[in-house]
Amino acid sequence: MNFIKSYFRLDKYKTSVKVEFLAGLTTFISMSYILFVNPSVLGASGMNKGAVFTATALASALGTAIMGIVANYPIAEAPALGINAFFAYTVCIGMHVSWETALAAVFVASIIFILITMFKLREKIIDAIPADLKFAISSGIGLFIAFLGLQDSGLIVANKSTLVGLGSLHSPLVWISIFGLLVTIILMILNVPGAIFIGMILSAIFGICTGQIALPHKVISMAPSLAPTFGQAVFHVKDINTLQMWVVVLTFLLVTFFDTAGTLIGLAQQAGFMKNNKMPRVGKALASDSTAMMVGSVLGTSPVGAFVESSAGIAVGGRTGLTAVFVAIFFLISMIFSPLLSVFTTQVTAPALILVGVLMAQNTAHIHWNKLEIAVPSFLILIGMPLTYSISDGLALGLITYPICMVAAKRGKEVTPMMWILFVIFLIFLWVLNF
């Protein structure tokens, strides 16, 4: 016990093993929905849901443990919502890329991640992107996630006349999502820890009681085999042989960049770790998620990154890596509950997607809407992601427009060389997609 207190410097951060345990449990409960949402999202690409469940738990446990032990931060890691949607819906379904090749793209992106983290290029690239566009990217991903959730729930459906329209309220399946959404909203407003997870459980019970969801044959079993997905990322690296696939690799790299960097900075500010506008041990924190991303791709899941739900654990007092270690232990224990996957249907997980979208969209408040040269590219990112059904397309619209708007506003000198490089890269990206 003394070793644990000394290693994690519990006295310095004025915390205890008990507080860190409760913080870890709170964080895990708050983010545990990813165990059921991630297989649902990646399953759309044709991946085996059972294997994705196990890969999600193992990758989350490993990434979180590294974050806690190496970086000593109370920050949990897991496959990020948004980038998993890009993986399944944009790359696999939209571009007709096999999920095996998509995993290989994640693997290659993670190798590049590790290299640029080692040479400290990652921080420099992140710094080059204007803060307004970072907020727009995070918010745009939130809108896209919410749109996916509304579709999964049946509240939004295809419409020949208007592209999209309101779904039928006569469908009992839709009411599972409506019930879950309302319950989760109330729980979140009341600041109930694990509101999203509790909402999913109540939605599943509602579905079972109304006869729309079948009861599982058992609750506990051995974790599903990783065999369908394990190692496919490495075996298919040879398929990263076209310009289009290298653009996919770059997009995985960029989106994970912004998502993880923004989350780490926000959580560090919440916990009071920031010093002179810099995050201590940031190199170790970035190395933790890049390593987890690589291992996760080999196991069989989309990119792993810092989870904003870690804020729940920080809010109850988590201040050291011991919180993260406890979260990792809970993820390992969770693997025996895979039979519950059949209960967590898309209607049950949809409210989680919608409300995570709400949380991410709050970043729009930080955008300088009164400056048109900032507002236009930010808005195009925000609206582009859900309406093009692609995170990368939304990114392209904003990052191509930004330098043009800045030049028009006679602020061209403020556009960094890196932004001009991204301008060219995304022009090529759109050309590749269309031709």
Side-chain angles (χ1 to χ4, degrees):
M1 187 65 73
N2 286 332
F3 171 75
I4 291 174
K5 288 182 178 179
S6 174
Y7 184 85
F8 292 104
R9 294 184 284 179
L10 301 187
D11 291 336
K12 177 185 176 181
Y13 291 102
K14 298 178 182 179
T15 183
S16 65
V17 174
K18 179 183 177 181
V19 170
E20 297 289 296
F21 174 82
L22 290 174
L25 181 60
T26 301
T27 293
F28 174 75
I29 290 173
S30 297
M31 65 185 292
S32 54
Y33 65 86
I34 195 64
L35 288 166
F36 305 104
V37 175
N38 200 43
S40 176
V41 173
L42 296 187
S45 70
M47 294 183 73
N48 180 284
K49 290 186 178 182
V52 174
F53 175 89
T54 303
T56 301
L58 287 174
S60 302
L62 178 71
T64 305
I66 294 173
M67 180 66 79
I69 295 168
V70 176
N72 197 25
Y73 277 124
I75 296 173
E77 303 257 326
L81 280 173
I83 193 66
N84 62 356
F86 169 77
F87 180 104
Y89 295 96
T90 302
V91 178
C92 295
I93 297 174
M95 296 183 181
H96 305 291
V97 173
S98 71
W99 62 263
E100 293 93 340
T101 304
L103 281 179
V106 176
F107 179 74
V108 172
S110 68
I111 298 296
I112 299 171
F113 240 151
I114 292 171
L115 291 174
I116 62 178
T117 300
M118 287 172 58
F119 291 103
K120 296 185 178 180
L121 290 173
R122 195 170 170 187
E123 294 99 311
K124 292 178 182 178
I125 295 172
I126 290 169
D127 290 342
I129 309 296
D132 293 88
L133 297 192
K134 288 176 186 171
F135 290 128
I137 290 164
S138 176
S139 301
I141 292 171
L143 293 181
F144 183 46
I145 291 171
F147 186 48
L148 290 175
L150 288 166
Q151 280 189 307
D152 286 345
S153 68
L155 280 167
I156 297 294
V157 296
N159 185 300
K160 289 182 179 179
S161 301
T162 59
L163 294 182
V164 292
L166 186 67
S168 173
L169 297 181
H170 294 294
S171 170
L173 289 173
V174 172
W175 282 98
I176 296 175
S177 293
I178 293 173
F179 172 82
L181 187 60
L182 292 175
V183 168
T184 309
I185 288 169
I186 293 168
L187 292 173
M188 290 177 72
I189 290 172
L190 294 175
N191 293 316
V192 175
I196 291 176
F197 183 68
I198 295 169
M200 285 174 59
I201 291 175
L202 294 176
S203 297
I205 293 172
F206 179 82
I208 291 168
C209 291
T210 56
Q212 299 303 310
I213 298 175
L215 275 168
H217 298 298
K218 51 186 175 181
V219 175
I220 296 174
S221 75
M222 292 292 290
S225 172
L226 277 173
T229 59
F230 184 78
Q232 294 299 320
V234 179
F235 301 147
H236 288 266
V237 167
K238 63 182 184 299
D239 296 335
I240 311 297
N241 55 10
T242 64
L243 182 58
Q244 184 189 50
M245 284 312 304
W246 277 108
V247 170
V248 170
V249 170
L250 178 67
T251 306
F252 277 133
L253 200 62
L254 290 174
V255 175
T256 309
F257 243 35
F258 306 134
D259 197 32
T260 301
T263 302
L264 284 174
I265 291 168
L267 294 172
Q269 286 175 331
Q270 179 192 359
F273 295 138
M274 299 294 282
K275 295 179 180 178
N276 300 319
N277 203 36
K278 291 187 177 181
M279 182 178 174
R281 307 184 303 282
V282 66
K284 291 181 178 180
L286 292 171
S288 300
D289 64 63
S290 54
T291 303
M293 180 176 170
M294 181 183 69
V295 175
S297 67
V298 175
L299 294 173
T301 186
S302 51
V304 175
F307 242 59
V308 72
E309 282 79 6
S310 303
S311 60
I314 291 172
V316 298
R319 288 295 179 274
T320 76
L322 185 56
T323 292
V325 170
F326 281 126
V327 174
I329 292 170
F330 290 133
F331 267 115
L332 292 176
I333 295 171
S334 71
M335 289 195 295
I336 63 174
F337 295 102
S338 61
L340 293 177
L341 269 173
S342 63
V343 174
F344 289 87
T345 63
T346 54
Q347 288 78 24
V348 172
T349 58
L353 295 173
I354 296 167
L355 290 169
V356 168
V358 172
L359 296 176
M360 294 180 74
Q362 291 176 1
N363 282 317
T364 54
H366 303 296
I367 298 170
H368 290 86
W369 293 108
N370 59 325
K371 297 176 181 177
L372 204 58
E373 63 272 24
I374 298 296
V376 170
S378 297
F379 181 76
L380 289 175
I381 290 172
L382 277 169
I383 203 73
M385 289 183 181
L387 293 190
T388 63
Y389 215 72
S390 168
I391 292 168
S392 56
D393 288 352
L395 268 174
L397 292 176
L399 294 183
I400 289 171
T401 311
Y402 173 75
I404 298 171
C405 290
M406 291 296 283
V407 169
K410 298 180 181 180
R411 295 176 61 186
K413 291 182 180 179
E414 296 177 38
V415 181
T416 62
M418 181 56 68
M419 287 305 294
W420 283 112
I421 291 171
L422 292 175
F423 169 80
V424 173
I425 286 172
F426 277 103
L427 280 175
I428 296 170
F429 170 77
L430 290 182
W431 181 81
V432 170
L433 283 185
N434 285 279
F435 299 100

